[in-house]
Amino acid sequence: GNRRTPEYFLRALSNLLKVNPSMKDRIIVEFIGEVKYERQLELKIGHIIKEENLQNVIKMIPFMSHRDGLARLRYGDILLLVERSGQPETDNHWVVTSKLFEYLYLGKSILALIPSEGDAAKIIKRANAGEVVEPTDVISIQNKIHEMYCRFMQDKLFSEVDITYIDQFNRKKLTAELVMILQCF
């Protein structure tokens, strides 16, 4: 579908926990206030969680203010970025969202399930901010979660984000440049 969906992530996580049941007590995934406007998606996620027996692993946190949500993200070890899948290649440049930059500034490891050729993927790789996996590739997502989990257990899950690089995307600067460009014409 043409919308953000954690379905492939959930299937990958479920597969991984079947192979490594001991991980079940060591992983918690929180979805914060994402799906309230998309009832169908919410029902589908609920269905997958039941079907895959992930009730103790997935926490659905219904609504939080933007500020509280950001504060909550600071407690996470991995930030999950799930972008709209199934968009035509030409749409790739639209996939760079303000959420991406919030994630980058938090300096945590990002697991980004986004098209690897898109601009968002290039920024994450260039900023050294985490891992990019094709959004519908369940096996690769599964392997990447496992790899990041193992690094976490060895206390090696840290990203050294290139802040100087990210700073050039600062929204105020971008707006200022945009205004100047518009004024030229």
Side-chain angles (χ1 to χ4, degrees), residues 107-129:
K108 306 266 184 181
S109 263
I110 296 171
L111 173 55
L113 311 182
I114 56 178
S116 60
E117 295 309 308
D119 289 344
K122 287 179 189 134
I123 291 169
I124 289 169
K125 288 171 189 166
R126 168 69 181 75
N128 192 33

Side-chain angles (χ1 to χ4, degrees), residues 2-185:
N2 193 13
R3 49 183 41 176
R4 199 188 296 257
T5 171
E7 178 180 353
Y8 303 99
F9 170 79
L10 291 172
R11 302 277 185 209
L13 181 62
S14 170
N15 293 350
L16 181 61
L17 296 178
K18 281 174 191 154
V19 185
N20 303 277
S22 64
M23 286 173 63
K24 248 192 159 160
D25 302 327
R26 292 185 167 272
I27 290 185
I28 287 179
V29 178
E30 294 185 350
F31 290 139
I32 300 174
E34 276 291 277
V35 288
K36 63 185 164 68
Y37 299 118
E38 298 191 36
R39 190 73 186 115
Q40 287 311 108
L41 183 57
E42 193 173 14
L43 290 169
K44 188 169 194 181
I45 292 169
H47 179 72
I48 294 170
I49 290 171
K50 259 205 193 86
E51 191 186 1
E52 300 286 4
N53 197 18
L54 293 169
Q55 292 91 328
N56 299 329
V57 181
I58 310 286
K59 286 187 179 172
M60 304 293 279
I61 298 170
F63 180 75
M64 252 183 207
S65 71
H66 188 70
R67 193 178 153 192
D68 290 346
L70 280 178
R72 186 88 193 184
L73 290 176
R74 288 177 206 284
Y75 291 107
D77 298 295
I78 295 175
L79 302 179
L80 183 64
L81 187 71
V82 182
E83 272 307 346
R84 295 174 181 279
S85 58
Q87 285 189 325
E89 287 304 301
T90 51
D91 268 3
N92 273 345
H93 58 290
W94 291 117
V95 175
V96 178
T97 57
S98 57
K99 176 185 271 189
L100 170 61
F101 293 108
E102 287 172 352
Y103 275 24
L104 289 169
Y105 276 113
L106 284 165
K108 306 266 184 181
S109 263
I110 296 171
L111 173 55
L113 311 182
I114 56 178
S116 60
E117 295 309 308
D119 289 344
K122 287 179 189 134
I123 291 169
I124 289 169
K125 288 171 189 166
R126 168 69 181 75
N128 192 33
E131 307 286 349
V132 174
V133 188
E134 289 295 334
T136 56
D137 184 346
V138 173
I139 301 293
S140 296
I141 297 169
Q142 178 181 340
N143 291 340
K144 194 55 75 177
I145 299 169
H146 191 227
E147 181 193 309
M148 293 177 95
Y149 172 82
C150 292
R151 292 209 319 257
F152 169 76
M153 293 304 283
Q154 296 164 352
D155 210 19
K156 288 180 181 160
L157 183 69
F158 43 80
S159 64
E160 295 182 15
V161 179
D162 184 342
I163 292 292
T164 323
Y165 168 69
I166 302 167
D167 269 339
Q168 72 185 15
F169 295 101
N170 183 312
R171 271 202 262 171
K172 281 186 188 132
K173 279 190 213 150
L174 287 178
T175 312
E177 282 164 17
L178 185 65
V179 171
M180 288 191 299
I181 292 165
L182 289 173
Q183 283 169 346
C184 292
F185 295 101

